[in-house]
Amino acid sequence: MPASLTALTAASDHSRFVQRIRRRYAGQLALLPAGEPVRATMQAAYDALQPLEADAGVRLRILRQLVLERLVVLDCDHEAPTLEYTAPTLATSCASLPPEGALRLRAGEAGPAAPAGERLAHPTPVPFATAGVPLAVVTRAMTELAELALDIAICESRPGLDALYGQPQAPASENSAVGRAQLWVIGMGKLGARELNVSSDIDLIYVYDHNGETAGREDGRGVVSNHEYFAQQVKAIHTLIGDTTEHGFVFRVDLALRPNGNSGPAAVSLNALEEYFQAQGREWERFAWLKSRVVAPLECVRSGSAQALRGSVLPFVFRRYLDYNVFDALRVLHRQIREHAAKRAAGHPERANDVKMSRGGIREIEFTVQLLQVVRGGQFPELRTRPTLDALQRVASAGLMAQATAEALTRAYDFLRRVEHRIQYLDDQQTHVLPTRDDDLAWIAQTMGYSSCCPFLSDLDAHRELVAQEFDTLLGQKTDCKGCGKSVPAAPQDLDELLEKLAIQWPDKFRARLEQWRRHPRVLGLRDDARARLTRLVQRTAQWLVEGKAGEEAAVRIIDWMEPLLRRESYLALLLERPAVHERLLRLLGAAKWPARYLLQHPGVIDELASDAMLHERFDAAAFTQELQQRLAALRRTGEDDEESCLNLLRRAHHAEVFRTLARDVEGQLTVEQVADDLSALAETVLKITTDWCWQRLKNKHRETPQFAIIAYGKLGGKELGYGSDLDIVFVFEDEDEQASEVYAAFVRKLINWLTIKTAEGDLFEIDTALRPNGNSGLLVTNFAAYARYQQQRGSNTAWTWEHQAMTRARFVLGNESLRERFDQVRLAVISAPRDVPALAREIVAMREKVRTSRPIKGEKAGEKFDVKHSPGGMVDAEFLVQFLVLSQSGSHPELIDNVGNIALLQRAEAAGLLAPGVGQAAADAYRELRRVQHQARLNEAPTQVRPPALQDERNAILAAWRAVFEVQAL
């Protein structure tokens, strides 16, 4: 440590900026109350300066000096620990780094990246005692200083302008007279995110809420447009805080981010801003506006009137669909920044040590997080947050980044920001470059908690290398290959060129399908960059086809799938940016036809293919519910939780989860029974969430929690739901309120509408309520006591035998526990009631014949066709015989009471001696195989009929069980 540094009494004494402050303002330093500077203490100091300095601009400049001196003292005047530093070995480095490919748009999805060995070959920062105050203390103080200064500047600039022009007027409304039009100061970047550094400029945009003109002076003169008034006010504000005087400045002000940049007006109206976003807003501006926030005047922030800005900003920043178009925009922006940094460093090697702009700097952490937010924030509102560290945790919680990576980037961000502050503490210069003086560098190391420069620089390099590699991985950027001796042919830039040069290598069907695109209006109507993306996608698909990675059927299907979506360029960008998604999509489309139809209806779900882990997971109801509630809470915070947004939120989440199950199914990760279990659990969860949200928005509700239940029948009741299955459900309530019937009737109508209405995101389910008491002629929602009487045949209005058959598969899926218990009692009483067994058998056989007659199978009688569901020996036979066994035997065999599905009940019937040994198990195995065949046929949009002797063994097994049950009863 240099002698000049060690001789000082406090570390802050080394700062030349602090030395100047103490010489010039020694008498004023005590005016800032002790402790961390916050807005209240800054206001107190500003007020205390008034007797000494009448000019507001001077007081603000002095206040800034006092705040910065205090921050340097708090952050740097600590006892530096003496640390023993050991250079990390490769093994320890690898152990502490995130896994290969940890940073993805979906955990596990990899774009082009360096080999694992190359990525792990950099050192890892060694933990050290945190020096100084937490980063948030400094950034909050600087942010609140800026907010206070801007609020004061607005208030100070008004009286003079009002005297000249009168106040700017807002139009009168039905509820108020003419009011004052307001100028909003929008903080961008670090100011908007409350992350301001100590010597930062502030990026501002001035927006006023209403066009119009001023009231003029009392003599009738001085009327100007609101635009001119606010342009004058912007100049006055800049004079107060931005001009450099003998006391310095309050903040350097940069207006370059305003619409049309430096050529645009200093202030724009809200209407003009919205028109700019729609007509001229560029991709990089979305990143800038991501952190925007109205920071002054305080009265508009507190009143909520500034919230009107959100209606324009949110749709511009966050698009409705997953937006991968921003990748190219960010690459261009980042390349320009790196090129600019390289030019600045040319001939000045010390400038390469820029902790913000150089490779692995603060800007790359910010870009990493913002890219994930902008791509997904439209569909996942919980990602919408301004502060970088908060955003890191949110993207990790959403599964978009490995937690270990988020923590590593958090540590890097905190480290680099604290280094940045110390660089600026030295001379109050807007620089991010490490100093070249040895004593300055040693001072930074000491105040960061290091014993010398070497371990500090080692950790700095390690943090920057980690950041750079994760950023490059996210953007799919590779280090240039030098000296490898291979020449890479230029990729065709146009589809016609591609077809002429390479098509001869492609299979006929694929080539013929692509030839149709030469003159297709959608293809011809694409912008040049979108057409180039399409060409590269086609080339990649064709290459995989030639290499055997994809089949021709899959290749043709992806062309069929893309064609209607060509105008939605973000999907082309997604597939191009995520080769793994492209490859999995081809595999999925090649495996079955129905996925292509589902993907055409809900194209946004293909992003789910980005996750390796997704294929090996199962539906998690608790996690699904938590994510949806978080998204709703995020919408509520921004005032976007209207009914349509809730409907779309439910649909997007449901479609994505169905697609995850579909992908696992097609990849062979799930059995048919597991698919049905997961789809049934998903339907139940969606019913519960929808019921909750719908009740919250019911206008005439009379209690916080409804006394209400949903009973599932059919496939949902038996947990055998398939893709696209409708829901057979019955609604009941138990509420003594005199208005209960009307309230629950309105509620159920609203609930069914929420479940079935088609929005821009599609629908959820088809709902069938025909199994309610008295069927379609009965009430939509029934008092539970009336439901129980109907099912238990008390009184003249009673259930039919087929309704009791349906009760064997009924299941309580939503409602309070007391209603669940009462339903279970009713179901038990119904299915275990004493019956005339021969009469029951005749009724069920007759019902089976009626069903068969209503669904004739052409060629069945001639033995040419066997329908796996409806033909004799098919699935319906198995279901009917199980229902008969439950209704006739559960009174004496309680093991048949549980609603455990047809396969388990057949096995239980054999174990109970109701079916001969082997008969029940054979029928259960046959039913499972028929379900599998039916499932595969539906996935391929193929008939569920086969030509005998296919499935003959399965058919014989179910017929044997049928005869064993019903022929005995006929004797």
Side-chain angles (χ1 to χ4, degrees), residues 18-339:
V18 168
Q19 292 171 24
R20 292 197 300 270
I21 293 173
R22 290 172 179 170
R23 285 195 300 270
R24 178 74 184 270
Y25 303 106
Q28 289 92 357
L29 288 173
L31 296 179
L32 181 64
E36 301 171 7
V38 295
R39 183 160 184 158
T41 60
M42 294 180 212
Q43 181 71 60
Y46 176 81
D47 294 341
L49 283 166
Q50 187 166 9
L52 305 176
E53 296 288 350
D55 185 88
V58 173
R59 296 203 302 275
L60 286 172
R61 283 161 176 76
I62 296 174
L63 175 63
R64 177 182 184 269
Q65 318 300 326
L66 306 186
V67 170
L68 262 68
E69 192 273 348
R70 177 67 53 78
L71 290 176
V72 178
V73 170
L74 291 174
D75 206 13
C76 299
D77 286 352
H78 58 87
E79 185 175 349
T82 301
L83 299 180
E84 182 178 346
Y85 177 79
T86 304
T89 64
L90 180 60
T92 58
S93 297
C94 293
S96 60
L97 283 172
E100 161 67 6
L103 179 54
R104 298 288 180 263
L105 287 182
R106 272 289 185 195
E109 195 279 326
E118 294 176 16
R119 296 191 66 223
L120 296 178
H122 59 74
T124 302
V126 174
F128 57 88
T130 301
V133 293
L135 175 64
V137 170
V138 180
T139 55
R140 181 176 63 240
M142 294 307 301
T143 300
E144 292 186 358
L145 174 63
E147 292 171 349
L148 175 63
L150 288 165
D151 190 54
I152 290 171
I154 282 185
C155 295
E156 290 286 334
S157 61
R158 280 177 182 167
L161 291 169
D162 284 358
L164 288 172
Y165 309 116
Q167 72 174 24
Q169 297 180 102
S173 65
E174 294 181 3
N175 302 319
S176 64
V178 174
R180 183 185 187 97
Q182 294 287 351
L183 178 69
W184 300 329
V185 184
I186 301 171
M188 309 291 281
K190 287 185 169 60
L191 174 57
R194 297 183 173 89
E195 299 169 333
L196 212 56
N197 61 46
V198 290
S199 296
S200 176
D201 59 0
I202 51 177
D203 294 297
L204 302 180
I205 295 177
Y206 293 97
V207 175
Y208 52 93
D209 56 357
H210 293 291
N211 289 309
E213 57 185 22
T214 63
R217 299 190 298 269
E218 291 183 359
D219 62 6
R221 299 181 179 181
V223 176
V224 297
S225 68
N226 286 355
H227 179 81
E228 185 176 345
Y229 178 99
F230 290 125
Q232 294 291 330
Q233 188 173 16
V234 168
K235 292 180 181 178
I237 292 170
H238 188 276
T239 299
L240 277 166
I241 65 172
D243 285 352
T244 300
T245 71
E246 61 176 310
H247 296 283
F249 51 83
V250 188
F251 284 98
R252 304 176 186 88
V253 178
D254 191 339
L255 302 183
L257 292 177
R258 69 187 186 270
N260 296 305
N262 291 328
S263 63
V268 298
S269 69
L270 183 59
N271 288 340
L273 178 67
E274 187 166 356
E275 290 174 5
Y276 175 83
F277 285 157
Q278 292 176 355
Q280 301 179 58
R282 290 159 289 182
E283 294 292 341
W284 68 263
E285 290 179 288
R286 296 170 58 197
F287 291 94
W289 280 92
L290 172 65
K291 292 189 174 187
S292 64
R293 177 173 61 93
V294 176
V295 296
L298 185 60
E299 61 185 289
C300 292
V301 176
R302 285 178 171 170
S303 70
S305 62
Q307 295 294 324
L309 181 70
R310 285 180 172 173
S312 300
V313 173
L314 286 176
F316 173 64
V317 176
F318 302 110
R319 303 294 162 84
R320 179 177 148 197
Y321 298 104
L322 294 172
D323 189 8
Y324 281 74
N325 286 315
V326 297
F327 271 75
D328 279 342
L330 186 59
R331 284 195 189 98
V332 170
L333 178 60
H334 183 254
R335 184 170 60 250
Q336 291 171 347
I337 290 171
R338 278 194 175 174
E339 288 173 355

